[in-house]
Amino acid sequence: MTEDPKHSLAQTPMSPMQIWAVGLCVLLNALDGFDVLSISFASPGIAKEWGIDRAALGIVLSMELIGMAIGSVWLGGLCDRIGRRAAVLTSLVLMAGGMSLAATASGILPLSAWRLLTGLGIGGMLAATNALAAEHANAKRRNFAVALMATGYPVGAVIGGALVSHFLVDYSWRAVFASGAIVTACCIPLVYFTLPETVPWLIQRRPEGALERLNAVLKRMGRATVAALPEQNGERLKPGLGQLFSPTLIVATLCLTFAYFFHIMTFYFILKWAPKIVADMGFLPSAAGNVLVWANIGGIAGSIVVSFLSQRFPVRNLTIGVMVIATALVALFGRSAPDLVQLSILAAIAGCATNAGVVGIYAIVAETFPTEVRASGTGFVIGIGRGGAALSPIIAGFLFANGATLPTVALAMGLGSTIAALTLLLLALRGVGPKGSRPALR
């Protein structure tokens, strides 16, 4: 019987090729972080140039989130069929095209359309990179790799935000989208020439020329090649969303989607509204952008902490804990005085807790769904859950427009994380997921 390479890769130290692949996932997720938040950086300038109110701005802020929801489900399912690498390339093309077209928008409708297109690519990228990081890592470092991949999101937002704060001094908001399009386009050849397909996907999916492609990847990793594809043990799942609702996966699918939906509402309240809230306190748009940068610096810290702690403690317990903390911190942000230092500190610690919760869910998802449907599962959880992201700025904008004060809105939006924590606790009590009785990885 031919030895299964994915088993040996799971039990041995990671090769430089595997480390590079995980590092590239961090970079790709950094693009996501900048591309998603580019509209937040640009929103004060857009509102000023076009004279739109908070309610209309909330709809514009939500468009790429709606695209992300569609892209996560559509490209996530496609990723399990065509491969992780092909899905990443498709996502990059959509993102680069959407960003470049957004820079030329002449009104709310075309800008909303191009942000929707950008969101399609971002949604697909999130599903693909989660699977890529999990499948290129060994068993010991899998949670660490997925959490590290998620760190790229706030890193991209921080670096992009620092640059954008300078752009906004001398240039219009259109420079935000133009710069994002250029950087995203530059990543297409980098992925094409250096990112290999994952060994688990090649073995499970067995596309045409699978053996040759598998051996080529193994050579790049410095591993021994195989004479034949290994035999598959047990029932082989077919890629597709329907498998997520099989008896063994339906509880995990529904609970993880529900948890992500509510936590992401809290997460995006900070990321989408912080610049506008700070600008409305009388500060310049560049200063408002800096507060968002601090929120993402906190997000980086939260990702790193979860990355290391997940190697020693159950990731689900960590995630539940930081979600409860996130509710309190977001509510506290809503009660801040109009002081830039205080706003920046509160945004940083709130960003730390909220992003740590997102990273924790990504790790739980990667552990829970098997290879055949890992991207589909990730895409479904993120895609449907992104409904919470799309609703977040709309609900907050509606509350503001109807006279709710900032402390009231912040508390209401922060409760989403507590609801998510309770859902994960229910999942734990049902014994489903990483620490449940069902094997999480195959």
Side-chain angles (χ1 to χ4, degrees):
M1 178 182 295
T2 302
E3 181 182 3
D4 192 336
K6 71 175 184 289
H7 291 159
S8 62
L9 290 176
Q11 301 304 321
T12 56
M14 293 172 62
S15 68
M17 184 72 260
Q18 290 169 275
I19 295 172
W20 165 254
V22 173
L24 194 53
C25 288
V26 177
L27 173 62
L28 294 171
N29 214 29
L31 286 179
D32 274 7
F34 177 77
D35 286 0
V36 168
L37 295 183
S38 58
I39 189 68
S40 297
F41 295 128
S43 62
I46 294 170
K48 182 178 179 180
E49 180 177 327
W50 292 343
I52 59 178
D53 60 19
R54 280 182 167 184
L57 184 61
I59 295 174
V60 176
L61 290 172
S62 295
M63 291 312 297
E64 90 273 3
L65 301 177
I66 295 172
M68 288 167 68
I70 299 170
S72 294
V73 176
W74 169 50
L75 285 174
L78 191 64
C79 182
D80 282 327
R81 297 181 184 277
I82 67 175
R84 314 328 190 185
R85 180 173 175 273
V88 166
L89 289 169
T90 301
S91 298
L92 283 172
V93 170
L94 292 173
M95 289 163 61
M99 290 288 282
S100 61
L101 290 168
T104 68
S106 57
I108 293 177
L109 288 179
L111 178 60
S112 297
W114 304 139
R115 292 307 294 165
L116 183 71
L117 179 64
T118 305
L120 290 174
I122 295 172
M125 183 68 74
L126 285 169
T129 53
N130 203 54
L132 274 166
E135 293 172 13
H136 275 301
N138 59 20
K140 182 179 181 181
R141 305 296 182 190
R142 184 170 289 117
N143 282 340
F144 178 81
V146 172
L148 188 64
M149 174 275 299
T151 304
Y153 188 97
V155 167
V158 167
I159 295 175
L163 295 174
V164 165
S165 294
H166 293 291
F167 287 163
L168 292 175
V169 175
D170 299 316
Y171 302 98
S172 77
W173 56 267
R174 298 179 188 276
V176 177
F177 299 122
S179 59
I182 293 171
V183 176
T184 302
C186 288
C187 286
I188 295 175
L190 183 64
V191 168
Y192 184 84
F193 290 109
T194 69
L195 182 67
E197 186 54 80
T198 70
V199 169
W201 184 84
L202 289 170
I203 291 174
Q204 294 297 135
R205 185 60 179 159
R206 299 174 183 256
E208 184 177 354
L211 179 60
E212 292 75 15
R213 293 176 63 183
L214 173 62
N215 282 329
V217 173
L218 291 173
K219 286 181 180 179
R220 293 179 65 182
M221 293 180 176
R223 311 283 182 167
T225 58
V226 294
L229 293 173
E231 296 181 9
Q232 294 182 321
N233 297 321
E235 182 182 358
R236 179 185 175 188
L237 293 177
K238 295 181 180 180
L241 294 176
Q243 297 294 338
L244 303 179
F245 298 94
S246 63
T248 57
L249 291 176
I250 186 171
V251 173
T253 299
L254 295 178
C255 284
L256 288 172
T257 302
F258 192 82
Y260 191 79
F261 182 98
F262 279 95
H263 179 66
I264 214 70
M265 288 183 70
T266 301
F267 179 75
Y268 272 102
F269 169 70
I270 290 292
L271 295 188
K272 290 296 183 182
W273 275 105
K276 190 69 172 74
I277 289 170
V278 175
D280 286 348
M281 291 180 178
F283 298 102
L284 294 174
S286 57
N290 283 331
V291 172
L292 186 58
V293 169
W294 279 107
N296 284 282
I297 290 175
I300 294 172
S303 298
I304 293 173
V305 169
V306 170
S307 299
F308 284 100
L309 291 181
S310 65
Q311 298 182 91
R312 301 190 60 181
F313 303 101
V315 68
R316 186 161 47 196
N317 295 348
L318 290 172
T319 305
I320 291 172
V322 297
M323 284 178 171
V324 173
I325 295 171
T327 296
L329 292 175
V330 171
L332 189 60
F333 176 80
R335 293 184 174 276
S336 174
D339 176 82
L340 272 179
V341 174
Q342 183 174 330
L343 284 164
S344 298
I345 293 173
L346 289 175
I349 58 176
C352 177
T354 54
N355 196 61
V358 173
V359 169
I361 292 180
Y362 287 163
I364 295 170
V365 167
E367 281 193 340
T368 301
F369 293 107
T371 300
E372 301 95 318
V373 293
R374 181 168 290 127
S376 296
T378 303
F380 184 86
V381 170
I382 293 175
I384 303 302
R386 286 290 172 190
L391 284 175
S392 180
I394 294 176
I395 292 174
F398 178 81
L399 292 173
F400 280 129
N402 283 273
T405 62
L406 176 57
T408 300
V409 175
L411 176 60
M413 301 306 293
L415 286 174
S417 293
T418 296
I419 296 173
L422 292 174
T423 304
L424 292 181
L425 182 60
L426 174 63
L427 189 65
L429 294 176
R430 291 291 302 269
V432 179
K435 299 301 179 183
S437 58
R438 182 184 59 78
L441 296 169
R442 285 189 277 168

